[in-house]
Amino acid sequence: MTATAVPERNRPRSGGGLPPLQLTRGQRLRKTGTDTLVLTRRNFRHMVRDPFEPIIAITMPLVVVLLFGYVFGDVMAPPGTENYREFLVPAMLTMVMLYGIGGTASGIARDTARDVMSRFRSMPMSPVALLSARALADMARACLEVALLLLVGFAMGWRFEDGAGNALAAVGVLLLFRLALVWLGVLMGLVLPTADSVSMVVYPLTFPLSMLSTSFIPSTAMPDWLAPVTEWNPISMVVTATRDLFGNPSLPSDAWPAENALLMAVVVPVALMLLVTPLAVRRFRRISR
Amino acid sequence: MSHTTPAIRAEGLRKSYGATRALDGLDLTVRAGTVFGLLGPNGAGKTTAVRVLATLLRPDSGRASVAGYDVLAQADRVRTRIGLTGQYASVDELLTGRENLLMFGRLYGLDAAGADERARSLLERFDLVGAADRRADGYSGGMRRRLDLAVSLIQEPGVLFLDEPTTGLDPRSRLQVWESVRALTASGTTVLLTTQYLEEADQLADAVAVIDHGRVIAEGTPDALKSQVGGDRLDVVVRDPADLAATARLLGDAVSAPASVHREEQRVSVPAEDRMEALTRAVRALDGSGLRVEDVGVRRPSLDEVFLGLTGSTATDHENDRERTQEVSR
């Protein structure tokens, strides 16, 4: 029996426009597109209905900044920074981008748990839509977070001082950083066994990482052996580049990464993405084959 | 596809996980439009078989076709013809019943209007209209399973896989699921159902295959299987283990058949060809015997006894074997 011999009468007759059995390349691409949108919408619903993780991810940096800005500020402000709160806002934005990785990883871990994944894979859908929908929803969330935190920044007295063009570029740097972390988060979600294990790994890892950067204190205030770690920390690069583009006070530093912060804030995330995206896709193919 | 083409055909399926052979040359033929029960204890290979047939798992060797398509070479096409309900309801808990059906409808390839119409009719059919706009995490086990079943029927599949559809359900929900499965066959869907319960296979299946260690050890109609195994059993549970031997003798004499003793459960079991007669005789014999009895009951043969009849060892023995082997290897 050849495949084409299957009569169409065996297809469901109900209305609703079920797709033909065999899709052309273009139809398949369109299906991936609609599947992505359908799942993105679901991901938004998840964020709204189970808001614990997104709320923690945005309030932690907010609390840190409010504490540093209004409580410890006078002690912590590095000499030469006139407005420590303006100095903090780019750090807060970067920190929120970083913490988003927890949501990405746990979302992917939930979607690829065996029973859920079995249902998706037994259907004529495009499995890769699970990844693209996750990326799309999380980037949309990142845009919302940036907008929200800039408003908080305004309320704290923060301003961008170097023109709207550069301010937009600063937002671009932050979102590029987040995009790289989305793919790192996808990989983590595929590797870690459960969504619960994600939060056990992500926060203990990201919190020290954001502290061991020039987000809050200059590297000169660190022990000698730690200073280079701080300077080469990608978070420092993103924070410094964002400060420069916003025209906010930055730290005087003659370290190479600080002097080339913008370059590094583009190169490092792109390199990270080139590294982790193929790994994530390969891992995903293995479990979705 | 002619009517003689089976809806499911598997030949010599093998799948190993390390040293464990989950499937060891499994052969199956399921006629279109029938309900086929795959019966076996935990770890017999039921779920692995379903996963291979539903295109989720590649077998090490062997071949299978579902709805006329090869599960390996034509997996995409198989997926347009099947529905799957796993052991654990895999609906989206944060979405409402309706939102679940709409989302999966779109993913199955329906357009927005089509998904809406399909959701409406499935909610009605599975008696979920009242709960349609409540989140699935607030559903009872039975409702969740019904929603899961509804999702797997969105594309009106020619072949439906139900992997232990009633495990963990209370009796009332179980009956509701059975009702739904019966209604399905009326519409011509082929159903492959895995279960650990002989009664479930008996209630729903036109044909049954008993599998153990990844291969079919018996096949036929539920009636044929039962006659192979023997009829109903009468059980007596005693209060004092010391009374087990005396009770076995007494009951064996009363129904003129050999009694088996299950020491751990303090239970004696005898065949009960005629339920009422066996019960009357047993109670009469026990009355005034001085033996202290906890419970008396007549029941259908269990999967254990099917296994005893077919293989000479019980399903629980299999597990005990495993435990013992582990203890020895320690």
Side-chain angles (χ1 to χ4, degrees):
Chain A
M1 185 182 73
T2 60
T4 46
V6 174
E8 282 306 304
R9 68 179 162 78
N10 283 342
R11 301 286 305 149
R13 283 163 303 276
S14 69
L18 275 168
L21 283 175
Q22 197 73 332
L23 302 183
T24 65
R25 182 183 290 264
Q27 283 172 320
R28 200 171 300 164
L29 213 64
R30 257 220 322 269
K31 180 76 166 70
T32 305
T34 45
D35 288 354
T36 300
L37 291 179
V38 167
L39 289 169
T40 303
R41 190 159 162 213
R42 174 200 69 146
N43 291 347
F44 284 142
R45 284 203 167 117
H46 282 186
M47 285 181 209
V48 172
R49 291 180 192 175
D50 188 15
F52 187 70
E53 184 277 322
I55 285 175
I56 293 284
I58 199 166
T59 44
M60 271 237 318
L62 210 60
V63 167
V64 168
V65 163
L66 291 177
L67 266 179
F68 286 10
Y70 289 93
V71 186
F72 311 128
D74 295 340
V75 203
M76 292 196 57
T81 48
E82 294 153 29
N83 190 337
Y84 187 55
R85 276 168 220 156
E86 282 205 351
F87 170 85
L88 285 178
V89 167
M92 172 171 73
L93 287 160
T94 309
M95 216 170 156
V96 171
M97 296 298 100
L98 180 68
Y99 282 6
I101 197 173
T104 307
S106 59
I108 287 289
R110 261 197 309 273
D111 282 351
T112 55
R114 194 175 112 142
D115 294 307
V116 183
M117 195 67 183
S118 295
R119 158 134 288 157
F120 284 134
R121 285 181 50 218
S122 71
M123 300 174 31
M125 69 172 272
S126 160
V128 90
L130 283 173
L131 303 190
S132 49
R134 176 54 54 192
L136 198 62
D138 286 359
M139 287 311 291
R141 168 177 151 184
C143 294
L144 203 71
E145 286 171 337
V146 169
L148 205 71
L149 290 177
L150 287 180
L151 285 179
V152 174
F154 264 111
M156 286 168 64
W158 167 89
R159 297 290 179 270
F160 57 90
E161 320 273 2
D162 211 8
N166 277 352
L168 276 178
V171 170
V173 164
L174 289 165
L175 293 177
L176 177 68
F177 182 53
R178 180 71 182 96
L179 186 62
L181 292 176
V182 162
W183 289 105
L184 182 63
V186 167
L187 182 63
M188 286 175 73
L190 291 172
V191 171
L192 292 169
T194 63
D196 287 341
S197 58
V198 166
S199 56
M200 306 224 283
V201 172
V202 166
Y203 284 103
L205 219 71
T206 47
F207 186 72
L209 212 62
S210 58
M211 289 298 147
L212 291 180
S213 70
T214 53
S215 296
F216 303 104
I217 46 173
S219 58
T220 46
M222 305 259 175
D224 279 351
W225 61 272
L226 208 56
V229 174
T230 314
E231 281 154 8
W232 285 91
N233 184 340
I235 296 165
S236 304
M237 299 164 186
V238 174
V239 172
T240 307
T242 312
R243 279 177 184 144
D244 290 348
L245 287 167
F246 277 141
N248 293 148
S250 196
L251 293 166
S253 168
D254 52 5
W256 191 87
E259 291 194 324
N260 298 279
L262 182 55
L263 175 72
M264 294 303 281
V266 173
V267 168
V268 170
V270 169
L272 180 64
M273 247 187 301
L274 288 177
L275 180 75
V276 296
T277 310
L279 286 176
V281 169
R282 209 178 63 184
R283 174 97 192 168
F284 184 71
R285 284 240 173 87
R286 255 219 335 258
I287 61 168
S288 66
R289 193 174 51 198
Chain B
M1 187 161 38
S2 65
H3 285 287
T4 51
T5 308
I8 301 172
R9 192 206 303 259
E11 288 166 57
L13 291 180
R14 285 173 207 280
K15 178 76 190 176
S16 297
Y17 297 99
T20 315
R21 282 191 198 154
L23 295 180
D24 192 12
L26 185 85
D27 299 312
L28 279 182
T29 305
V30 179
R31 268 194 312 127
T34 62
V35 179
F36 191 89
L38 208 52
L39 188 65
N42 265 331
K46 302 188 298 289
T47 297
T48 310
V50 167
R51 290 179 69 79
V52 168
L53 295 171
T55 76
L56 301 179
L57 190 68
R58 295 181 80 86
D60 297 335
S61 65
R63 25 183 267 166
S65 67
V66 170
Y69 299 115
D70 189 279
V71 295
L72 292 175
Q74 298 170 301
D76 283 352
R77 292 186 171 211
V78 171
R79 286 177 193 147
T80 64
R81 305 301 314 274
I82 61 170
L84 169 69
T85 293
Q87 278 183 41
Y88 307 96
S90 53
V91 295
D92 195 313
E93 308 244 302
L94 291 178
L95 299 187
T96 68
R98 189 191 308 279
E99 286 166 348
N100 263 292
L101 288 164
L102 289 175
M103 176 182 77
F104 284 114
R106 297 303 306 272
L107 295 175
Y108 270 118
L110 295 169
D111 57 29
D116 192 58
E117 192 193 308
R118 197 82 186 102
R120 220 176 293 223
S121 82
L122 284 166
L123 286 167
E124 211 155 290
R125 176 162 158 200
F126 285 93
D127 196 18
L128 289 166
V129 175
D133 298 311
R134 279 191 1 233
R135 265 163 55 167
D137 56 6
Y139 280 18
S140 69
M143 286 161 73
R144 212 174 295 191
R145 206 64 72 106
R146 268 169 17 233
L147 177 60
D148 202 25
L149 205 54
V151 168
S152 61
L153 291 175
I154 287 174
Q155 66 172 351
E156 297 181 30
V159 178
L160 180 66
F161 297 101
L162 300 175
D163 192 9
E164 305 205 3
T166 62
T167 298
L169 287 189
D170 59 77
R172 198 171 139 257
S173 307
R174 175 172 298 183
L175 284 179
Q176 285 178 333
V177 171
W178 285 0
E179 229 20 79
S180 311
V181 174
R182 282 196 197 102
L184 274 178
T185 45
S187 66
T189 308
T190 309
V191 179
L192 180 84
L193 163 102
T194 78
T195 181
Q196 301 188 46
Y197 311 114
L198 184 65
E199 193 193 356
E200 187 157 288
D202 193 17
Q203 285 282 333
L204 299 175
D206 302 304
V208 174
V210 181
I211 73 170
D212 188 31
H213 296 303
R215 64 168 67 183
V216 175
I217 56 171
E219 205 170 349
T221 64
D223 279 346
L225 211 68
K226 265 190 305 184
S227 65
Q228 208 171 330
V229 172
D232 294 345
R233 310 281 303 181
L234 180 129
D235 281 356
V236 171
V237 179
V238 295
R239 191 167 296 174
D240 186 352
D243 290 344
L244 278 169
T247 311
R249 256 196 317 277
L250 193 75
L251 288 177
D253 290 347
V255 302
S256 336
S260 56
V261 175
H262 305 263
R263 194 158 290 280
E264 277 154 40
E265 299 152 48
Q266 304 187 15
R267 180 166 62 91
V268 176
S269 176
V270 289
E273 244 163 82
D274 182 317
R275 296 163 69 100
M276 277 325 291
E277 193 187 326
L279 192 61
T280 319
R281 286 187 182 198
V283 170
R284 209 173 277 156
L286 287 166
D287 188 30
S289 66
L291 298 166
R292 284 189 301 171
V293 172
E294 287 269 292
D295 193 19
V296 180
V298 184
R299 59 177 174 81
R300 290 166 168 278
S302 67
L303 182 60
D304 262 12
E305 280 136 352
V306 174
F307 265 75
L308 191 65
L310 292 170
T311 66
S313 65
T314 62
T316 29
D317 274 347
H318 282 285
E319 269 160 38
N320 291 342
D321 279 348
R322 242 171 271 143
E323 277 162 31
R324 239 172 266 139
T325 329
Q326 278 168 1
E327 263 169 312
V328 170
S329 62
R330 248 182 253 137

